[in-house]
């Protein structure tokens, strides 16, 4: 029978695996951020061959479910690495999840970054040139900060989406919060309680993240009016 | 000093500049007039390499380059010698008025932050915007934004500042304050090449007026020569059209 008592009992056990979930979010997101920038830059610069390859890469990721991508990496990567004499069979499964999610998120992030950079008016880059800045300096100081501001709502969605997608990692034997709940369900026969614990944690964290991204979005308003038409009180940084 | 010789520029089939030549001596103010589409903006943009001219020669100060063979490094050097004030201001949207002026001083001129701040504050005071230093562009009127744009150009102390119709995007009541600032820029002895339809500014301030049409210079002379004794038929027609439009505006 379902009992809130068990929910309370299992909570410490489940929450003790939160660092695993956190790591499953932060490592791929950080890697994807760098990779996403490189992919976006390569596609914007239209580097031959690489551009076509990346277009296919991005399409593959967008057109296939994340779970298949995870299995392809989990079962495929060892086979691939074997060809180079690397034995990946004993590796911690977390590594494969890192790789799979990095591939997935970097594709979506690169699209977001690319379209946000294109959304910054050309006059901003020209103004940088006119001031005597190099293309790189203008991208770094003017265009990219504005593009990040434009992409922030999308970045927030991706981040929260990734956080929730970590719930699939148990399928390749990673013991995160879900993996723990599953173990509890199997060993103690209470199916529902552990998952309720997970649901509570996911809901709270997702809500907190949404508030956080909303706050950062406002802080980065560059003096633009908020949704109520008021001018923001923004300080120079 | 700046000189353009025989500049050519096409966009695909469209020949926009077809051998125009222009010279601006140090401390001179030269005004360029011409109908819409005659290539004025394109010419200014080519000077700053925001557009690449197909051929011709450009001299800025002690540097002379061939448009067809210019190197990336030379482009960068020339941009540092040339200031640009845009028709639609193009202030950095993610920076306050003060940061807009400071940024180039720090990144391009390698000034210390304090030095840059002092200089930027002076430039903004000079365009009468001391009370707006911490405002973002989106919080400023068009006239105020354009004055920040002028302050940003001046602070960098370029050899010449190019102005591309700096008042044409402004509401009529904001034009005067911007022209006033531009007159002060001229009084400081800064070399200026100005595209504008403000004939009174040209009359009062310009050392030389150039009339362009169809990608070439049709006629040039002192304001008096161009406005009171234009030689070319096209110049006459153009001036009478502008004056008619102005008096129509004034009569509204
Ligand atoms: N980037 C561009 N691509 C194609 N045509 C352009 C471009 N920029 C300007 N033109 C064309 O070049 C001509 C001259 O434009 P412009 O230099 O802006 O004239 P003006 O400033 O004298 O009004 C116009 O016919 C315009 O449509
Ligand atoms: Mg123009």
């Amino acid at each position: 029978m379902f009992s809130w008592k068990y929910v309370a009992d299992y909570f410490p056990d489940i929450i003790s695996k939160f660092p695993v979930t956190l790591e499953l979010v932060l490592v791929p997101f950080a890697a994807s951020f760098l990779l996403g920038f490189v992919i976006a830059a390569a596609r914007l610069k239209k580097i031959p061959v690489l551009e076509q390859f990346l277009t296919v890469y991005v399409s593959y990721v967008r057109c296939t479910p994340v779970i298949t991508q995870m299995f392809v990496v989990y079962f495929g990567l060892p086979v691939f690495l074997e060809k180079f004499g690397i034995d990946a069979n004993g590796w911690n499964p977390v590594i494969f999840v890192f790789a799979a999610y990095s591939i997935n998120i970097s594709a979506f992030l690169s699209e977001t970054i690319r379209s946000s950079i294109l959304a910054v008016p050309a006059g901003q880059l020209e103004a940088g040139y006119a001031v005597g800045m190099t293309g790189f300096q203008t991208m770094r100081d003017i265009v990219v900060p504005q593009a990040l501001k434009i992409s922030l709502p999308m970045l927030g969605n991706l981040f929260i989406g990734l956080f929730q997608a970590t719930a699939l990692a148990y399928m390749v034997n990673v013991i995160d919060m879900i993996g723990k709940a599953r173990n509890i369900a199997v060993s103690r026969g209470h199916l529902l309680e552990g998952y309720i614990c997970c649901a509570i944690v996911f809901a709270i964290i997702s809500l907190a993240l949404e508030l956080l991204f909303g706050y950062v979005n406002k802080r980065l308003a560059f003096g633009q009016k908020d949704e109520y038409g008021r001018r923001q009180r923004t300080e120079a940084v | 000093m700046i000189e353009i010789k025989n500049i050519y520029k096409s966009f695909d089939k469209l020949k926009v500049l077809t051998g125009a030549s222009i010279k601006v001596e140090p401390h001179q103010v030269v005004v360029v007039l011409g109908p819409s589409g005659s290539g004025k903006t394109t010419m200014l943009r080519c000077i700053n390499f925001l557009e690449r001219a197909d051929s011709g020669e450009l001299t800025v100060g002690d540097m002379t380059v061939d448009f067809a063979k210019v190197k990336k490094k030379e482009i960068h050097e020339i941009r540092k010698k040339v200031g640009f004030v845009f028709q639609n201001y193009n202030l950095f949207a993610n920076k306050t008025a003060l940061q807009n002026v400071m940024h180039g001083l720090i990144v391009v001129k390698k000034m210390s932050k304090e030095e840059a701040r002092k200089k930027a504050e002076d430039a903004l005071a000079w365009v009468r915007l001391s009370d707006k230093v911490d405002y973002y562009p989106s919080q400023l009127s068009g006239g105020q934004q354009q004055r920040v744009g002028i302050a940003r150009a001046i602070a960098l102390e370029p050899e010449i500042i190019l102005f591309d119709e700096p008042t044409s995007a402004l509401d009529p009541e904001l034009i005067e304050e911007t022209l006033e600032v531009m007159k002060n820029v001229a009084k400081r002895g800064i070399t200026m090449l100005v595209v504008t339809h403000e004939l009174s500014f040209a009359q009062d301030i310009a050392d030389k007026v150039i009339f362009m049409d169809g990608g070439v210079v049709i006629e040039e002379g002192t304001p008096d020569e161009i406005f009171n004794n234009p030689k070319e038929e096209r110049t006459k027609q153009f001036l009478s059209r502008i004056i008619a439009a102005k008096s129509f505006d004034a009569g509204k």
Side-chain angles (χ1 to χ4, degrees):
Chain A
M1 276 317 306
F2 174 78
S3 156
W4 286 105
K5 183 182 169 301
Y6 290 125
V7 173
D9 281 353
Y10 297 159
F11 206 79
D13 259 2
I14 303 254
I15 201 87
S16 75
K17 291 296 170 193
F18 181 68
V20 178
T21 301
L22 199 63
E23 164 183 78
L24 288 175
V25 176
L26 293 183
V27 173
F29 202 79
S32 300
F33 211 82
L34 293 177
L35 206 56
F37 253 102
V38 174
I39 296 172
R43 291 187 70 188
L44 285 170
K45 287 204 145 195
K46 301 201 186 305
I47 298 172
V49 187
L50 190 59
E51 193 208 351
Q52 282 80 12
F53 169 77
L54 291 171
T55 307
V56 173
Y57 171 89
V58 170
S59 304
Y60 160 73
V61 171
R62 282 160 61 114
C63 298
T64 53
V66 63
I67 191 157
T68 60
Q69 294 163 20
M70 197 168 71
F71 281 127
V72 166
V73 171
Y74 185 68
F75 294 113
L77 194 58
V79 176
F80 179 73
L81 289 176
E82 211 167 37
K83 292 203 165 56
F84 300 93
I86 301 169
D87 178 16
N89 286 312
W91 287 9
N92 186 335
V94 162
I95 292 168
F96 299 100
V97 180
F98 285 168
Y101 285 169
S102 297
I103 289 169
N104 180 271
I105 299 296
S106 66
F108 285 101
L109 262 176
S110 75
E111 282 297 276
T112 302
I113 292 168
R114 195 172 73 103
S115 60
S116 305
I117 284 175
L118 289 173
V120 175
Q124 295 290 309
L125 186 63
E126 293 183 351
Y129 286 144
V131 163
M133 290 158 75
T134 62
F136 175 78
Q137 289 167 338
T138 310
M139 285 309 274
R140 182 192 63 195
D141 301 343
I142 309 298
V143 177
V144 168
Q146 292 182 43
L148 282 181
K149 154 75 189 149
I150 294 169
S151 65
L152 204 61
M154 274 304 291
L155 293 186
N157 287 346
L158 280 172
F159 192 84
I160 292 169
L162 172 62
F163 173 59
Q164 293 178 355
T166 60
L168 298 173
Y170 82 92
M171 300 187 85
V172 293
N173 304 323
V174 173
I175 309 295
D176 63 340
M177 292 194 295
I178 300 281
K180 190 75 192 169
R182 192 157 160 274
N183 288 353
I184 289 172
V186 171
S187 62
R188 304 190 211 171
H190 298 286
L191 288 172
L192 192 49
E193 285 81 352
Y195 290 119
I196 296 275
C197 289
C198 293
I200 291 169
V201 176
F202 273 97
I204 290 173
I205 303 280
S206 294
L207 270 173
L209 284 172
E210 245 172 70
L211 290 175
L212 176 72
F213 276 105
Y215 175 76
V216 175
N217 199 23
K218 269 196 185 159
R219 292 290 310 199
L220 265 181
F222 306 138
Q224 258 136 39
K225 289 171 185 177
D226 65 18
E227 64 263 46
Y228 306 109
R230 289 189 305 246
R231 288 203 155 151
Q232 303 264 311
R233 290 297 315 142
T234 26
E235 283 84 32
V237 266
Chain B
M1 197 273 285
I2 190 166
E3 183 169 16
I4 303 157
K5 278 192 204 155
N6 250 326
I7 185 171
Y8 281 81
K9 168 73 185 170
S10 308
F11 292 106
D12 297 320
K13 292 260 145 55
L14 182 70
K15 294 192 168 91
V16 175
L17 297 173
T18 50
S21 298
I22 280 181
K23 187 167 182 176
V24 187
E25 300 288 353
H27 312 298
Q28 261 193 345
V29 177
V30 173
V31 166
V32 179
L33 298 174
S36 177
S38 57
K40 307 179 297 294
T41 295
T42 304
M43 189 178 67
L44 292 195
R45 288 169 62 83
C46 285
I47 296 173
N48 221 6
F49 296 91
L50 297 177
E51 215 73 73
R52 284 296 286 274
D54 304 323
S55 65
E57 200 178 277
L58 172 66
T59 303
V60 180
D62 53 7
M63 257 182 98
T64 298
V65 297
D66 184 334
F67 278 119
K69 295 184 214 142
V70 64
K71 297 189 189 75
K72 208 171 164 185
K73 194 149 181 289
E74 293 170 323
I75 291 177
H76 187 61
E77 284 311 306
I78 286 176
R79 281 179 178 152
K80 287 202 266 187
K81 294 173 189 280
V82 177
F84 204 105
V85 174
F86 294 88
Q87 188 169 7
N88 54 356
Y89 337 124
N90 281 346
L91 296 186
F92 302 133
N94 59 329
K95 302 215 169 279
T96 63
L98 186 69
Q99 293 168 338
N100 260 276
V101 183
M102 274 173 77
H103 198 73
L105 297 174
I106 296 169
V107 175
V108 180
K109 294 257 159 168
K110 314 284 182 216
M111 281 186 190
S112 71
K113 226 171 169 179
E114 298 76 57
E115 207 184 342
R117 174 181 298 272
K118 176 82 184 53
K119 186 134 203 209
E121 280 169 352
D122 287 349
L124 285 170
W126 197 73
V127 297
R128 288 179 286 106
L129 283 173
S130 290
D131 53 336
K132 304 285 186 206
V133 286
D134 289 331
Y135 282 54
Y136 283 92
S138 61
Q139 297 168 319
L140 297 171
S141 75
Q144 290 165 342
Q145 289 187 58
Q146 195 55 293
R147 277 146 62 195
V148 175
I150 293 170
R152 178 171 73 177
I154 285 176
L156 290 158
E157 297 177 356
E159 298 202 9
I160 185 169
I161 302 180
L162 314 177
F163 293 78
D164 186 16
E165 299 203 34
T167 58
S168 67
L170 296 175
D171 291 336
E173 68 267 28
L174 300 178
I175 291 179
E176 229 18 76
E177 65 181 39
T178 310
L179 288 177
E180 210 45 52
V181 166
M182 287 177 58
K183 285 179 187 172
N184 287 333
V185 176
K187 282 192 196 128
R188 268 172 82 156
I190 293 168
T191 313
M192 299 162 72
L193 179 57
V194 185
V195 174
T196 183
H197 292 301
E198 296 295 331
L199 299 189
S200 67
F201 176 85
Q203 181 82 58
D204 294 350
I205 302 296
D207 299 294
K208 182 159 85 175
V209 175
I210 291 175
F211 176 68
M212 263 181 84
D213 197 4
V216 285
V217 172
I218 304 291
E219 183 170 359
E220 60 176 84
T222 63
D224 198 44
E225 285 165 355
I226 298 294
F227 294 138
N228 300 328
N229 294 302
K231 294 194 188 64
E232 301 291 328
E233 196 51 40
R234 273 200 270 179
T235 317
K236 285 179 201 165
Q237 277 174 9
F238 173 75
L239 289 172
S240 63
R241 250 186 294 129
I242 294 205
I243 290 161
K246 284 265 176 226
S247 48
F248 178 77
D249 273 353
K252 267 198 294 205

